[in-house]
Amino acid sequence: KQWYQRRVRAAVKQFIPLFDRILVSRAVAAAKTKGGIMLPESSQKKLNEGVVVSCGPGAVDADGDVIPVSVSVGDKVLLPEYGGTKLNLDDEEYLLIRDSEILGKFVKVTSE
């Protein structure tokens, strides 16, 4: 996991989103079933979730005030099936998406 985090940090240094854009690392679908059967790439479905890697400062309204983005780095988010811009940095595929296009944010629920 640490090598992946170092690689993501190196890629993020190359690209900084502007305005209300957010750079997301899309989750990878499992290549094996629970029974251990390997799945071909054609049968793997694209997951609609990912982790926020980098955020822009936010959108600017008509008065010139900055409206901050609603997510922060490290948040797990739900993405639309289509939309955003695919971006390849250091052989990793990322998705550049607007803050308003994110469908939701996953949060950990703590039991009391």
Side-chain angles (χ1 to χ4, degrees):
K1 188 172 181 173
Q2 289 179 346
W3 66 269
Y4 179 74
Q5 290 174 344
R6 275 187 255 127
R7 195 165 182 194
V8 167
R9 275 189 238 122
V12 170
K13 287 180 183 178
Q14 296 176 7
F15 185 82
I16 300 171
L18 298 176
F19 303 112
D20 64 338
R21 306 285 197 304
I22 297 169
L23 189 64
V24 177
S25 176
R26 192 180 282 263
V28 179
K32 274 188 185 179
T33 64
K34 291 180 183 178
I37 299 171
M38 298 293 290
L39 297 173
E41 284 187 32
S42 60
S43 68
Q44 293 177 10
K45 65 178 187 175
K46 188 168 66 170
L47 297 177
N48 289 352
E49 56 188 60
V51 177
V52 175
V53 176
S54 182
C55 297
V60 179
D61 65 4
D63 297 328
D65 297 327
V66 176
I67 303 167
V69 293
S70 58
V71 295
S72 57
V73 174
D75 286 347
K76 191 173 178 182
V77 294
L78 181 65
L79 303 168
E81 189 171 348
Y82 302 104
T85 303
K86 289 182 184 176
L87 194 65
N88 286 320
L89 299 172
D90 288 342
D91 297 329
E92 289 284 327
E93 188 173 295
Y94 297 94
L95 188 66
L96 186 63
I97 193 165
R98 288 184 179 269
D99 183 40
S100 60
E101 293 176 356
I102 291 178
L103 303 175
K105 179 168 69 170
F106 294 101
V107 294
K108 287 188 177 181
V109 178
T110 57
S111 59
E112 295 179 22

